[in-house]
Amino acid sequence: MFRPVSQSTQKEDLVTCRLGEVHRPAAPCTIVIFGASGDLTARKLVPALYHLHKEQQMPPDFRIIGFARREKTDASWRQELREALDQFSRTKPVDDVVWRDFSQHLLYCQGDLTDSAAYQKLQKQISDFPDPGLQQNLLFYLAISPSQFADVVARLAEARLLHRETQAGWERIVIEKPFGHDLESARRLNQELTRFANEQQVFRIDHYLGKETVQNILMFRFSNAIFERLWTRDSIDHVQITVSEKVGVGQRGGYYEEAGALRDMVQNHMLQVLSLVAMEPPVSLDAECIRNEKVKLMQSIRRLNPEDVSHQVVRGQYFAGMSEGQPQPGYRQETKVKSDSNVETYVALKLFIDNWRWSGVPFYLRTGKCLPMSASEVRIQFRPTPHVLFAAECGQRLDQNALALRLQPDEGISLRFNGKVPGTSVEVRPVRMHFSYNAEFGAYTPEAYERLLLEAMVGDATLFIRRDEVEIAWQIVDSIRHAWEGKALSNREFYAAGTWGPVAADDLLGQAGHTWREPMRVNSYSASAK
Ligand code: BG6
């Protein structure tokens, strides 16, 4: 997945390791998108494939077949996608020449997901392609409801489009979260999938792993001796991982009523980020080595019994408030949400990792909708100095050093440390050093889906979730859900839209003398900024 590259510049010799370079070119292949009329296809998948084509990263030949129930022609599907691309493309305007060429690869196959004959038609369409690569290398993207995964996979196998062992070429399935809604259903789903495909053929997407800044966590940790040496309980006081969103659930109330913040964000994105931040160095960059370390880390997360949950987990739900100066309805007033819903739109957790590196270090995780800002950040809060030389002038406690990995927006890294305020008095104040992706590398920020689709075509599973990772994450989340079962939200668990969650979340940190830190923003420094 990563390859060291020497680059000579006039100023100095730089040895860079190109993050994100896929070292095996993708072979000609056919991508079949189930759910071709859906939102994900229009908003994410086709724009990502268009950009890969624009960047000349697609295989030398490829076809993209959209499979869906509605009657459409190739031409009408292309037209629809073009309109969506005009709206959702990360680069604007859409390049007409690139689009014209790209759109020739888009084909539509009308069919019902439950109709075996439709899969025969698909099989026939694929076997008529001129190039053997297009016939034999098949990527099935299931952008459909999870309840349909197992059935579609069984029908693909029945139509001889999917084999556990392929004689030539490769056959892979890409699936979107949620992978089940608890441990039991996830196990069942995994078992059903692996009746027809090997684990190596199943690529489970967590789009956070496709983000450059999330991939950079490992590069940052294991290419910088100065930080990795401090990356233990000896130097680190605690870690805060925040994934906050300004928006409410909007039109997704129906889905959210089944999910809630714990299933929607913690089970996947947040535990993935946590495992990258805290895992041991892998033996190599091989997909299995990295995933083995992530699994080991998740196994070391201390399990919570119902009593622990009451002290270490806080849930919350937003009520009506203001967001960006606009009135925001409460969660219970959102479309398709029950008027007495107990679903959490916010969750904060205090986790411990029982291993040599992290023993005793709290990891605080929080995520929520309708918070004051949209920002994802990992904050490493270092231990205080053992003695304060300037106590007489500055008080007994100096600000603790902190390192913030700014995952989004304002992607970059900030280091916060103390410095002398110029002048004759002895005054110490926190200052910050910022690294910004934009300033350093320009505005090239591929969408997570571009990277993930490319990796799936190349067959590198590093950025995808393995079966055991999914199952362990469900064990952790299930223990919390069980403790909440049958308990209605209390008054202390509500928060006004546009605020930082329920007060109980502050108490969660307050018990240990800690406070939540607002995600750092590069352009908003003030002496009082936390
Ligand atoms: C999705 C969740 O997985 O991630 C959404 O279902 C959430 O509820 C989204 O809004 C956040 O992703 P991002 O990339 O915008 O941080």
Side-chain angles (χ1 to χ4, degrees), residues 62-121:
F62 65 93
R63 297 289 184 279
I64 300 166
I65 302 180
F67 184 106
R69 203 177 39 208
R70 285 183 216 158
E71 284 291 349
K72 274 176 213 172
T73 60
D74 293 346
S76 65
W77 191 48
R78 288 173 191 170
Q79 179 58 30
E80 217 174 81
L81 293 176
R82 172 60 205 248
E83 283 160 24
L85 191 61
D86 285 333
Q87 200 181 342
F88 301 118
S89 171
R90 72 172 163 85
T91 56
K92 289 192 178 135
V94 171
D95 185 324
D96 284 326
V97 177
V98 175
W99 168 258
R100 216 169 300 130
D101 187 44
F102 173 74
S103 64
Q104 297 311 304
H105 299 258
L106 296 169
L107 305 166
Y108 190 72
C109 178
Q110 190 276 330
D112 192 305
L113 288 177
T114 58
D115 176 13
S116 296
Y119 294 78
Q120 299 297 342
K121 186 166 77 171

Side-chain angles (χ1 to χ4, degrees), residues 177 207-208 211 245 252 255 264-265 269 369 408:
K177 79 171 183 80
H207 79 277
Y208 262 61
K211 292 182 192 270
E245 294 185 278
R252 297 172 73 220
Y255 155 78
D264 187 43
M265 299 295 286
H269 311 322
K369 304 273 186 203
Q408 64 186 28

Side-chain angles (χ1 to χ4, degrees), residues 44 176-177 206-208 211 243-245 247-249 252 255-256 259-261 263-265 268-269 367 369 374-376 408 447-449:
K44 297 289 182 190
E176 281 282 336
K177 79 171 183 80
D206 181 318
H207 79 277
Y208 262 61
K211 292 182 192 270
V243 176
S244 70
E245 294 185 278
V247 290
V249 298
R252 297 172 73 220
Y255 155 78
Y256 210 80
R263 286 188 173 119
D264 187 43
M265 299 295 286
N268 36 73
H269 311 322
T367 183
K369 304 273 186 203
S374 291
S376 301
Q408 64 186 28
E447 279 262 345
Y449 278 94

Side-chain angles (χ1 to χ4, degrees), residues 166-199:
T166 49
Q167 298 304 316
W170 46 259
E171 293 153 8
R172 298 182 189 133
I173 308 161
V174 182
I175 57 176
E176 281 282 336
K177 79 171 183 80
F179 317 115
H181 59 271
D182 57 13
L183 177 60
E184 200 190 313
S185 56
R187 278 198 180 134
R188 214 168 32 239
L189 175 61
N190 282 331
Q191 271 158 11
E192 282 166 354
L193 293 177
T194 46
R195 272 177 63 206
F196 303 103
N198 290 318
E199 173 61 23

Side-chain angles (χ1 to χ4, degrees), residues 432-452:
R432 301 188 295 184
M433 251 162 54
H434 295 301
F435 150 68
S436 149
Y437 274 83
N438 252 346
E440 188 71 28
F441 300 117
Y444 173 67
T445 44
E447 279 262 345
Y449 278 94
E450 291 171 39
R451 181 63 195 275
L452 294 171

